[in-house]
Amino acid sequence: LIFDEIEYLESKTKVVNLLTSNKIWELLTSVQLDHNVNSEQGGRVAHDAFDSDGNEYEYKVSKSCAWSFQDISDTVLKKYLSDKAIILAVVDKTEFKVTTIFTASPKKVVKRLKEKLSEKKLRYKKQGKALTRLLVSLVKGDLKKINARQIL
């Protein structure tokens, strides 16, 4: 039954694989913002969503105010800089709703991600560990640093 409903939603929204990753949450966020989810997401190439003017957006979705950014490579950071905004959404997976949405400048987000990655590299180096994953998170305390604006 759930698969019939998902198939129906996918056909109506033109978004495939709604049950993978955070795609269903991106769709619910996009409804709040009058955006369209890009069905051709591909990590380094496609953007998560776009608006009616063709502006592109990166979406990050979390159950709390902690959004993970994986593979912080120059290619990914360059992609973020071409976005109109970075959207940080908080969702309630029990109630199945988007509770809060922040928007932030890609320049400020990329700057903060680079800072956090540098801090992480130094910390690992001091501990004698090798950094194997270029992953950092933005948390509630970072919202002020990136001048994020709450829009929902």
Side-chain angles (χ1 to χ4, degrees), residues 30 33-38 48-57 59 84-85:
S30 76
L33 300 175
D34 198 25
H35 291 170
N36 297 292
V37 172
N38 185 349
D48 291 332
F50 58 93
D51 65 19
S52 59
D53 294 327
N55 297 307
E56 296 174 310
Y57 300 85
Y59 281 19
K84 170 92 174 175

Side-chain angles (χ1 to χ4, degrees), residues 29 60-64 67 87-91 98 100-102:
T29 301
K60 292 295 176 184
V61 179
S62 175
K63 297 186 296 185
S64 63
W67 301 273
I87 303 297
L88 306 169
V90 179
V91 299
V98 179
T100 311
I101 301 174
F102 296 95

Side-chain angles (χ1 to χ4, degrees), residues 63-143:
K63 297 186 296 185
S64 63
C65 287
W67 301 273
S68 292
F69 288 76
Q70 301 176 22
D71 183 26
I72 307 297
S73 65
D74 288 338
T75 303
V76 169
L77 294 176
K78 187 176 178 182
K79 180 189 86 156
Y80 292 162
L81 290 172
S82 70
D83 287 319
K84 170 92 174 175
I86 306 292
I87 303 297
L88 306 169
V90 179
V91 299
D92 183 331
K93 293 186 176 185
T94 305
E95 295 292 323
F96 208 74
K97 66 180 181 177
V98 179
T99 60
T100 311
I101 301 174
F102 296 95
T103 183
S105 154
K107 275 186 169 180
K108 291 182 181 189
V109 169
V110 166
K111 181 178 184 258
R112 185 64 185 137
L113 292 174
K114 286 180 176 180
E115 290 169 355
K116 290 189 91 163
L117 188 59
S118 290
E119 292 165 6
K120 186 176 183 178
K121 285 178 180 177
L122 279 174
R123 198 169 52 250
Y124 273 59
K125 187 176 181 178
K126 284 180 183 177
Q127 296 171 353
K129 294 181 183 177
L131 184 64
T132 56
R133 294 189 68 203
L134 300 177
L135 174 133
V136 294
S137 293
L138 291 182
V139 296
K140 193 171 190 174
D142 291 310
L143 293 173

